[in-house]
Amino acid sequence: MDDASQTGLPKWLADLDRLLAIRSHFVLSGNIRDTFLIELDGAPTLAPMMRALWLRLKQRGYAFFAVWDRVDGISVYPKEAAAQRDASSLLDLKLKDDGTMAASLDALYEVMKRAVSLKEARVAVVVDFASRISANAQHPSADEQRFFVGCEKLSLHAAPVIPRPQAGAAAEAAADARMPLFNPVIWLVNREQDLPSWFLLDSERLTTHVIPRPDYQTRLAAAEVFAPLMAGHEEAAADARAQYLRTFADNTDGMTLASMGDIVQLASQSVLGIADIDDAIRSYKVGALDNPWKKDYLKERIRGAMVEIEDRVKGQTQAATKTVDILMRSVTGLTGAQARSSSGRPRGILFFAGPTGVGKTELAKTLTKIIFGDERAYIRFDMSEFAEEHNSARLLGAPPGYVGYDAGGELTNAMREKPFSVVLFDEIEKAHPRLLDKFIQILEDGRLTDGRGETVYFSESIIIFTSNLGIYVEGPDGRRVQNVRPGDSYDKVERNVREAISNHFRYTLGRPEILNRIGENIVVFNFIVPDVAVMILDAMLRNIARRVEEEHGMMLELSQVARGKLVDACLADLSLGGRGIGNQLETALINPLARAIFTTDLKGCERVVVADITECDKVYTVTLQH
């Protein structure tokens, strides 16, 4: 139960109960459609909002609720013949056989007037779905304006009442039956903004209560209530039951008790026992019972990950080793194991930093292929497209009332479709600082709520950031100066880059909390050294030969002379990394090769040799032998 309440009631209900003597209108907003833990006959039980209200107010001597909404009009709660008879008599309700009565806002106001001044019984009026009274709460129609003004007057002029002795057994049985209490009007709204602001602010008799999502202790108590519904509960040992309670409460942070009930129902349908509660929670969050992270084939792929990574990302042994360690940690479920609750966090968080063109994006693609078998399966966002604050709506969805609100956000929609994924945020330092704040929730809680109010979960994904931070820094004169250079030792590159990243988040952005959540998952890439550059060039030449064979059906070879000239041309400047080598190779070989193939009759050739490469006025030409 909520620590703030020692009465066996949720805090919002205890507050309402306490204020019945001095407040005539109550506006309840927030988590109003949840179920709530209350004590019934000395034992905790779960009850929806209306029943929770009724069970407590019945104890205070209230005879019934008159409930109104736009669809059904007025009905009586509880749906019992005696309550309906009393309501018809005391409030002059003309109920139909189904227990409802059509009622406009004017008719509702008349019922409110009779209820709040009633002397014969304690009753309450509940305005359900009050968010739907007005299409525009801040600019209501004339009829709506008149209704709300009337309600404001009622709230100010109402007085607490003591029911007369003949009020009925329910009132007489209550220990505090002779206390002066209001016959309240209780408004149930999604958000306070759904009612006119002046209506909420201008009456001292009106009080508002925002009902929060359940806290840890409440979820723990709810897990205890749900436990008998879980398969294997009776046979489970005490430590297994205790583990179930902790797991259920930990892993449902931010969820409602109704969602916890849905998880239990899902577990029952999927034949999941008390020991499998984490699988049921994951299935509820991401919509899939199958868990790729627990598959044996993934463990086999990760065992051979270093070989595959080093084949595609040359010369980054330190970065590759740390990345594989983090991947192994993700598969074994030990991410964030130092914290009490960590299962909501992403499976892995990686921050790839280093010079341009050294393999950061290529390593992200390689990881995707290792995990999911297809390097194109990752979700990529170029963060330079989100340099302006308003572009965050593209990523997360526009807020209510704005264009595109119904479409959702690119990130949230993608995660909803592919909860098991690698999510790559390229060049994260180029995003607007306000957008970076959204990553705090992703990295800490593994969830994000879009503009439509729908929550998506990142608990089964790997989050990768790439950045060039730390290669250049601002000098004393305000100019960008090179912080690390080709030829520096890896230890120096790592130290300087990490320090620059730390300074950027701490001082430039003023958001050290983001850096704190990334933690030690910063993976620094080294510059491309000459020996590695030769390996990258040879790998690219093999790719070119393979493409020529696929497109033209002939083997492509290079003479030692031609290869030597390519080495001189492509490896002269390694500051742009592998991408720079590729750009030079395109100029020195691919373009002239394409020209030669296009203008030369090579029909029937099974083998062609690039014998020489010449350059004149920065235009390259190849000499072919076939």
Side-chain angles (χ1 to χ4, degrees), residues 81-200:
Q84 292 184 354
R85 284 195 303 269
D86 289 345
S88 298
S89 171
L90 295 171
L91 300 181
D92 194 25
L93 300 182
K94 303 295 190 281
L95 299 174
K96 297 183 293 185
D97 292 341
D98 64 356
T100 64
M101 168 184 141
S104 64
L105 289 177
D106 289 339
L108 171 61
Y109 174 69
E110 293 301 322
V111 171
M112 286 180 177
K113 279 205 305 184
R114 289 193 289 272
V116 300
S117 59
L118 193 65
K119 303 300 183 183
E120 291 79 5
R122 286 180 176 166
V123 301
V125 177
V126 179
V127 185
D128 202 1
F129 297 96
S131 295
R132 306 297 177 246
I133 290 177
S134 178
N136 189 336
Q138 307 313 318
H139 300 282
S141 66
D143 290 342
E144 293 164 352
Q145 178 86 357
R146 184 173 62 252
F147 169 72
F148 282 116
V149 172
C151 293
E152 182 183 14
K153 291 179 64 178
L154 280 181
S155 71
L156 293 169
H157 295 160
V161 298
I162 301 175
R164 295 167 183 169
Q166 66 270 27
E172 292 175 354
D176 54 358
R178 307 309 297 166
M179 288 183 61
L181 301 176
F182 280 96
N183 283 353
V185 177
I186 301 172
W187 305 76
L188 304 182
V189 298
N190 298 333
R191 293 166 292 274
E192 291 182 7
Q193 304 92 294
D194 295 338
L195 296 178
S197 55
W198 53 264
F199 176 67
L200 299 176

Side-chain angles (χ1 to χ4, degrees), residues 67-75 96 98 100-103 128-129 132:
V67 183
W68 179 92
D69 67 56
R70 275 284 196 187
V71 177
D72 296 326
I74 293 176
S75 59
K96 297 183 293 185
D98 64 356
T100 64
M101 168 184 141
D128 202 1
F129 297 96
R132 306 297 177 246

Side-chain angles (χ1 to χ4, degrees), residues 190-416:
N190 298 333
R191 293 166 292 274
E192 291 182 7
Q193 304 92 294
D194 295 338
L195 296 178
S197 55
W198 53 264
F199 176 67
L200 299 176
L201 297 173
D202 294 342
S203 173
E204 290 185 352
R205 292 293 190 185
L206 185 150
T207 183
T208 62
H209 299 270
V210 179
I211 302 176
R213 297 288 178 101
D215 60 13
Y216 177 81
Q217 291 300 326
T218 303
R219 297 195 309 275
L220 195 65
E224 185 80 55
V225 173
F226 285 125
L229 304 178
M230 295 292 298
H233 171 259
E234 294 182 359
E235 299 82 10
D239 57 345
R241 288 196 294 269
Q243 179 62 41
Y244 151 81
L245 293 175
R246 289 193 300 270
T247 301
F248 207 175
D250 282 341
N251 296 2
T252 51
D253 183 29
M255 291 188 182
T256 63
L257 299 189
S259 296
M260 293 179 69
D262 291 340
I263 290 169
V264 172
Q265 180 68 20
L266 186 62
S268 176
Q269 292 178 352
S270 304
V271 197
L272 296 174
I274 193 170
D276 305 312
I277 188 64
D278 55 340
D279 289 330
I281 295 170
R282 184 185 61 257
S283 178
Y284 177 84
K285 286 180 176 180
V286 303
L289 185 59
D290 190 45
N291 186 0
W293 295 104
K294 292 186 177 181
K295 297 297 184 182
D296 291 336
Y297 69 77
L298 181 56
K299 294 179 181 179
E300 289 301 319
R301 288 177 181 174
I302 293 175
R303 287 190 182 97
M306 278 298 294
V307 175
E308 185 164 356
I309 290 174
E310 291 180 342
D311 181 58
R312 296 184 55 168
V313 182
K314 307 294 186 184
Q316 303 294 345
T317 302
Q318 298 94 331
T321 301
K322 183 160 188 175
T323 299
V324 172
D325 285 345
I326 292 173
L327 193 57
M328 289 179 177
R329 187 179 69 195
S330 302
V331 171
T332 54
L334 294 180
T335 298
Q338 69 275 16
R340 186 190 73 175
S341 173
S342 61
S343 60
R345 298 175 184 176
R347 283 278 176 168
I349 299 167
L350 291 160
F351 191 103
F352 290 165
T356 183
V358 296
K360 299 188 293 292
T361 303
E362 184 68 16
L363 182 51
K365 292 180 181 179
T366 306
L367 283 183
T368 307
K369 186 174 185 299
I370 291 170
I371 299 170
F372 300 109
D374 182 1
E375 70 175 49
R376 296 166 298 182
Y378 73 111
I379 303 170
R380 177 183 178 273
F381 294 93
D382 185 345
M383 301 311 291
S384 64
E385 298 178 8
F386 301 94
E388 302 297 330
E389 184 177 2
H390 66 268
N391 285 338
S392 65
R394 277 182 50 202
L395 206 62
L396 310 177
Y402 287 78
V403 175
Y405 157 67
D406 290 333
E410 293 178 14
L411 172 59
T412 50
N413 288 346
M415 286 306 301
R416 196 171 287 112

Side-chain angles (χ1 to χ4, degrees), residues 315-537:
Q316 303 294 345
T317 302
Q318 298 94 331
T321 301
K322 183 160 188 175
T323 299
V324 172
D325 285 345
I326 292 173
L327 193 57
M328 289 179 177
R329 187 179 69 195
S330 302
V331 171
T332 54
L334 294 180
T335 298
Q338 69 275 16
R340 186 190 73 175
S341 173
S342 61
S343 60
R345 298 175 184 176
R347 283 278 176 168
I349 299 167
L350 291 160
F351 191 103
F352 290 165
T356 183
V358 296
K360 299 188 293 292
T361 303
E362 184 68 16
L363 182 51
K365 292 180 181 179
T366 306
L367 283 183
T368 307
K369 186 174 185 299
I370 291 170
I371 299 170
F372 300 109
D374 182 1
E375 70 175 49
R376 296 166 298 182
Y378 73 111
I379 303 170
R380 177 183 178 273
F381 294 93
D382 185 345
M383 301 311 291
S384 64
E385 298 178 8
F386 301 94
E388 302 297 330
E389 184 177 2
H390 66 268
N391 285 338
S392 65
R394 277 182 50 202
L395 206 62
L396 310 177
Y402 287 78
V403 175
Y405 157 67
D406 290 333
E410 293 178 14
L411 172 59
T412 50
N413 288 346
M415 286 306 301
R416 196 171 287 112
E417 294 172 8
K418 297 172 61 177
F420 296 93
S421 59
V422 172
V423 190
L424 174 63
F425 298 99
D426 234 346
E427 299 185 286
I428 187 65
E429 75 277 6
K430 295 182 180 178
H432 192 277
R434 287 285 183 88
L435 181 58
L436 295 179
D437 292 339
K438 300 297 182 181
F439 289 105
I440 296 177
Q441 187 179 3
I442 294 175
L443 300 180
E444 181 68 19
D445 301 323
R447 67 176 186 264
L448 190 64
T449 302
D450 65 13
R452 295 181 297 189
E454 297 179 356
T455 301
V456 296
Y457 296 92
F458 293 78
S459 54
E460 304 305 322
S461 65
I462 288 183
I463 307 295
I464 300 178
F465 303 101
T466 72
S467 173
N468 295 325
L469 281 171
I471 306 306
Y472 290 88
V473 296
E474 188 175 299
D477 58 355
R479 295 183 179 181
R480 282 169 56 84
V481 297
Q482 199 160 356
N483 186 38
V484 289
R485 301 174 181 277
D488 289 345
S489 68
Y490 178 76
D491 288 343
K492 180 179 179 180
V493 171
E494 184 181 38
R495 181 177 61 253
N496 288 8
V497 168
R498 280 179 172 272
E499 182 181 3
I501 291 172
S502 176
N503 291 338
H504 178 78
F505 281 103
R506 292 178 186 276
Y507 307 120
T508 304
L509 296 181
R511 285 169 173 78
E513 62 274 16
I514 300 176
L515 180 67
N516 195 34
R517 283 162 175 79
I518 295 171
E520 291 300 310
N521 297 313
I522 298 174
V523 179
V524 179
F525 286 63
N526 200 0
F527 284 97
I528 299 298
V529 298
D531 289 348
V532 173
V534 172
M535 296 167 59
I536 293 173
L537 176 63

